[in-house]
Amino acid sequence: MADDVLFEFLHMEMVSHIYKEQASRGEMDKDRATCVSALEGMGFRVGQGLIERFTKDSPSFKDDLDIMKFICKDFWINVFRKQIDNLRTNHQGTYVLQDNKFSLLTQLSSGKQYLEEAPKYLAYSCGLVRGALSNLGMDCVVTAEVSPMPS
Amino acid sequence: HLKDDQSTHDTSKLNLILFTLTYGALVTQLCKDYENDEEVNKQLDKMGYNIGVRLIEDFLARSSVGRCQDFRETADVIAKVAFKMYLGITPSVTNWSPAGDEFSLILESNPLVDFVELPDNHSTLVYSNLLCGVLRGALEMVQMAVDVKFAQDSLRGDNVTEIRMKFIKRIEENLPAGDE
């Protein structure tokens, strides 16, 4: 079943819609922040909902690292169709998850000028992860960066 | 179908759940942004259209279905291949008009509306209207102008969900300018 594609198409269209609508009302700077927070907020509630359904029958996690491994494997595979490529931590509460081929960005061209646009396509996903972690008992801040692959 | 051997969770339907939850969040957001249901319905249709015109390529690539000979074949492909592929359900095709230009898709269950209830002040919201736009956009890309709308909606109290599709006309393919 090609169900993962539907989500990707819907996500693209949602981002496009939110930005188009905001562009037709008011100043640009204020709008960008509103768009990002609208998308992030949507992602947050969906992330919570996903975790409710995903983990209701399974045993609880033993610690934060266990939760992060779950996010990097099971969660990422089901939402973004692959595992996280690299997980790093400073063992003081910061985790860096690296995805070398993020499924929601693959439709964007890889030229440098599109890097500026990438945050639009990451807001929802940041919310998803924040919502998921919130329902797993971890309150956190989730941010995302995109960098070009070394050539 | 479990992709990760170490996983003890049932992952088979999770991606469809992701789609339906995301869709729910979108509808909620649109209801906040627009003043009335009619406007939300319109936006859903427009967004569906934008998705449909791109989804058709994905569909044709995955399904290797050839060009349909007539509207009846189109109906079957939509119900048995497309709906099955993307939403995991197979609606039945019924209620053909005598002229063969109109039919209904009957969905016993609508995956988009799992866990959804319409609040009282949204009685004219066509929650799944995105689907109409998707069908319309996708078919336009294969040269068919169609009209698509919900005739029955389980969210609004009907027993089933019924999508009515009407063939309007064949769209001429545009040849590139300067073609000899």
Side-chain angles (χ1 to χ4, degrees):
Chain A
M1 208 165 103
D3 39 293
D4 37 21
V5 188
L6 265 191
F7 167 65
E8 284 164 26
F9 276 103
L10 181 63
H11 175 263
M12 268 264 155
E13 185 52 34
M14 261 165 47
V15 174
S16 169
H17 170 87
I18 293 227
Y19 277 80
K20 256 189 273 181
E21 285 305 301
Q22 292 293 81
S24 62
R25 332 174 182 188
E27 314 161 9
M28 271 319 286
D29 283 346
K30 199 160 67 148
D31 291 337
R32 218 162 267 152
T34 318
C35 293
V36 165
S37 83
L39 287 165
E40 212 268 353
M42 288 166 67
F44 182 79
R45 288 187 297 279
V46 173
Q48 289 185 310
L50 268 182
I51 287 297
E52 265 175 45
R53 285 164 183 80
F54 198 28
T55 60
K56 61 182 197 278
D57 297 325
S58 49
S60 50
F61 299 92
K62 40 184 219 283
D63 57 21
D64 287 357
L65 188 57
D66 216 28
I67 292 179
M68 293 314 299
K69 285 184 186 167
F70 164 78
I71 296 287
C72 293
K73 280 210 177 100
D74 291 3
F75 183 83
W76 220 260
I77 283 177
N78 281 283
V79 177
F80 303 115
R81 298 203 267 157
K82 59 184 279 294
Q83 291 187 55
I84 280 288
D85 295 300
N86 197 339
L87 171 67
R88 298 197 302 281
T89 178
N90 64 359
H91 296 290
Q92 284 169 25
T94 300
Y95 295 87
V96 180
L97 285 64
Q98 185 175 320
D99 185 326
N100 295 337
K101 202 175 172 208
F102 190 60
S103 66
L104 298 180
L105 287 177
T106 52
Q107 288 190 40
L108 290 187
S109 309
S110 51
K112 278 220 182 89
Q113 68 271 40
Y114 296 105
L115 267 188
E116 282 175 26
E117 301 294 301
K120 290 181 184 181
Y121 297 94
L122 297 173
Y124 184 80
S125 303
C126 286
L128 268 184
V129 175
R130 189 170 66 89
L133 289 171
S134 153
N135 256 23
L136 291 171
M138 284 171 92
D139 276 328
C140 54
V141 174
V142 179
T143 55
E145 297 178 8
V146 184
S147 45
M149 294 294 284
S151 48
Chain B
H1 46 268
L2 279 181
K3 290 176 192 174
D4 186 347
D5 287 331
Q6 296 162 342
S7 171
T8 56
H9 311 111
D10 177 14
T11 59
S12 51
K13 293 204 109 190
L14 202 82
N15 219 284
L16 185 55
I17 292 174
L18 171 63
F19 175 75
T20 59
L21 287 179
T22 302
Y23 186 72
L26 171 67
V27 177
T28 304
Q29 183 71 32
L30 290 177
C31 288
K32 274 195 214 138
D33 291 342
Y34 295 98
E35 284 159 7
N36 58 65
D37 290 349
E38 213 27 68
E39 203 38 55
V40 177
N41 294 340
K42 240 175 54 186
Q43 290 300 322
L44 285 173
D45 181 80
K46 208 160 76 156
M47 292 178 71
Y49 176 85
N50 291 340
I51 290 174
V53 300
R54 294 197 306 271
L55 192 69
I56 183 72
E57 271 177 45
D58 182 85
F59 173 71
L60 292 174
R62 283 177 204 269
S63 67
S64 46
V65 154
R67 188 172 282 273
C68 290
Q69 295 302 320
D70 57 27
F71 204 45
R72 279 186 187 265
E73 209 181 318
T74 304
D76 279 345
V77 169
I78 291 173
K80 297 180 182 146
V81 190
F83 264 86
K84 179 92 184 130
M85 184 182 286
Y86 293 108
L87 293 174
I89 56 169
T90 309
S92 46
V93 178
T94 63
N95 290 355
W96 278 99
S97 62
D101 64 344
E102 219 177 314
F103 67 91
S104 290
L105 291 167
I106 308 280
L107 285 66
E108 299 290 325
S109 69
N110 178 356
L112 289 186
V113 310
D114 286 346
F115 319 114
V116 172
E117 261 178 43
L118 280 186
D120 289 336
N121 57 336
H122 287 289
S123 53
T124 53
L125 180 68
V126 183
Y127 181 86
S128 307
N129 216 31
L130 191 99
L131 289 183
C132 295
V134 173
L135 288 165
R136 192 167 57 84
L139 287 176
E140 192 174 298
M141 291 298 108
V142 290
Q143 275 66 55
M144 276 183 265
V146 294
D147 187 62
V148 189
K149 57 175 181 271
F150 278 88
Q152 292 189 76
D153 191 346
S154 60
L155 264 192
R156 284 153 77 179
D158 299 311
N159 286 335
V160 292
T161 297
E162 179 184 351
I163 298 176
R164 191 87 186 136
M165 294 191 62
K166 183 178 167 70
F167 178 83
I168 309 285
K169 63 175 188 190
R170 178 136 256 147
I171 303 171
E172 292 308 316
E173 288 193 52
N174 290 323
L175 294 176
D179 212 23
E180 291 187 70

